[in-house]
Amino acid sequence: MSDETAPGTDEGCGPSCSCGAPGRSQFVAIGAPATGSGAASSTPGRHGVEQVLIPASTFVMGDSSEDQNPGDGEVPQHPVTLPSFSIDATTVTNEDFSRFVDATGYRTEAETFGFSAVFHLALQAPDADIMGRASGTPWWFGVKGADWRRPGGRHSSLDGLGDHPVVHISWNDAQAYCAWAGRRLPTEAEWECASRGGIDQAKYPWGDQEVDEGGWRANIWQGSFPQHNTRDDGYLTTAPVRTFEPNGYGLWQTVGNVWEWCQDWFDPGFYRRSPATSPDGPPTGAARVLRGGSYLCHISYCNRYRNSARSQNTPDSSMGNAGFRTVAA
């Protein structure tokens, strides 16, 4: 699980942070069973998310606004050339993921492990289900029974959340969905190119204006973290995937709302040796890349809701503010 914030090097989010929750191992250490995940059919299934065609292009990848976080490896800036590709206009929703589970019987890793990470203000569970707070990030609880169907714990449900992004999805779970749908996760370079919406070297998908200039543009934290969210943008946690305005390519909410898994292994030094054409990340690693920030990000302590911002977590980790979108295989 990632963290808003996790133990790291800067005062807000460190290099192990994805402004979501700590890694699963922090909760496994206090008594969770370490079981495997269910299997999914490899037969391509029905993927119903609207598609956006990203044109072949060369763009400048990396931080252009000098907002990078130490340890994340957002620099040096470097040109990247990509062929055209097709990507989801939105993150995969609860309704989309439900079709996958109904077709395959797949059980997510949160379900097989028996717990996931829930932000304290989103908690809807009996005290007996709370395994404990994460070390260094006490606003995150390991919660028994929390999973994609019950994002706040066993007293929560998906009522009214069908068009919200599915959460409590690990990288491995996203891979299982992709295998069923005949899709794949975007590479980190594809994700950043698509998020930029054709505006090269801009801080956000819409340009360089801040999120609240002229009306809210993304679902992030407002108020005093982690105790009080004023909900000026209308949401405490997730928003429907088609909230606010799409970027120039037609993608919705690539920044804010939920973190999005990418295909790549994470390496903060990779940009120094990244190929100039169609990079797909380092060959090995311990954690996978997450992009885009979430509803828990705020400029005062975690400014990772930017086009170039990077984070990471272990492939088996899940949390209440991370999901995914896919590209055509």
Side-chain angles (χ1 to χ4, degrees), residues 108-134:
T108 62
E109 292 194 306
E111 291 170 288
T112 57
F113 276 91
F115 74 99
S116 193
V118 178
F119 183 65
H120 75 114
L121 295 184
L123 186 66
Q124 298 181 58
D127 290 346
D129 285 351
I130 301 173
M131 300 164 59
R133 298 174 185 264

Side-chain angles (χ1 to χ4, degrees), residues 151-177:
R154 72 178 68 245
H155 289 166
S156 63
S157 73
L158 295 181
D159 290 348
L161 301 179
D163 61 348
H164 286 233
V166 65
V167 294
H168 295 290
I169 300 299
S170 71
W171 185 91
N172 294 325
D173 297 331
Q175 288 289 90
Y177 177 94

Side-chain angles (χ1 to χ4, degrees), residues 21-308:
R24 184 177 295 281
S25 62
Q26 287 193 241
F27 294 118
V28 171
I30 56 176
T35 58
S37 62
S41 168
S42 60
T43 303
R46 182 173 181 272
H47 180 69
V49 181
E50 177 191 356
Q51 294 300 287
V52 170
L53 182 64
I54 308 300
S57 62
T58 298
F59 74 103
V60 178
M61 188 170 181
D63 176 63
S64 60
S65 60
E66 300 183 356
D67 287 291
Q68 69 265 16
N69 292 284
D72 285 355
E74 292 183 51
V75 292
Q77 285 189 284
H78 55 289
V80 171
T81 299
L82 296 174
S84 63
F85 61 96
S86 180
I87 188 169
D88 295 342
T90 71
T91 49
V92 172
T93 67
N94 288 311
E95 289 177 350
D96 298 322
F97 201 76
S98 291
R99 285 192 290 272
F100 159 59
V101 171
D102 289 346
T104 65
Y106 181 79
R107 297 184 70 229
T108 62
E109 292 194 306
E111 291 170 288
T112 57
F113 276 91
F115 74 99
S116 193
V118 178
F119 183 65
H120 75 114
L121 295 184
L123 186 66
Q124 298 181 58
D127 290 346
D129 285 351
I130 301 173
M131 300 164 59
R133 298 174 185 264
S135 175
T137 56
W139 40 87
W140 281 103
F141 292 92
V143 179
K144 296 176 183 177
D147 55 47
W148 73 276
R149 288 189 178 92
R150 300 175 295 182
R154 72 178 68 245
H155 289 166
S156 63
S157 73
L158 295 181
D159 290 348
L161 301 179
D163 61 348
H164 286 233
V166 65
V167 294
H168 295 290
I169 300 299
S170 71
W171 185 91
N172 294 325
D173 297 331
Q175 288 289 90
Y177 177 94
C178 286
W180 169 76
R183 309 283 293 179
R184 63 176 174 83
L185 291 174
T187 66
E188 189 175 12
E190 288 171 336
W191 188 96
E192 185 169 326
C193 178
S195 182
R196 290 185 177 279
I199 308 175
D200 203 24
Q201 300 187 70
K203 186 174 181 179
Y204 303 115
W206 54 85
D208 291 319
Q209 301 90 352
E210 291 302 326
V211 176
D212 58 350
E213 289 183 31
W216 283 97
R217 292 183 170 93
N219 179 16
I220 61 171
W221 185 272
Q222 308 93 52
S224 177
F225 185 85
Q227 297 300 330
H228 179 61
N229 189 333
T230 62
R231 309 191 196 191
D232 290 345
D233 64 4
Y235 303 97
L236 173 64
T237 60
T238 59
V241 295
R242 292 178 181 269
T243 306
F244 310 108
E245 295 293 329
N247 71 6
Y249 286 147
L251 275 71
W252 297 78
Q253 295 198 84
T254 53
V255 300
N257 213 24
V258 295
W259 282 96
E260 301 180 20
W261 289 109
C262 290
Q263 183 66 35
D264 308 34
W265 290 108
F266 178 80
D267 178 351
F270 184 69
Y271 283 7
R272 293 191 293 271
R273 61 183 187 278
S274 177
T277 301
S278 300
D280 55 7
T284 61
R288 296 288 183 172
V289 170
L290 285 154
R291 284 298 201 115
S294 82
Y295 58 79
L296 293 180
C297 283
H298 188 270
I299 197 168
S300 67
Y301 66 93
C302 178
N303 66 344
R304 286 180 170 89
Y305 52 98
R306 295 174 288 106
N307 288 324
S308 66

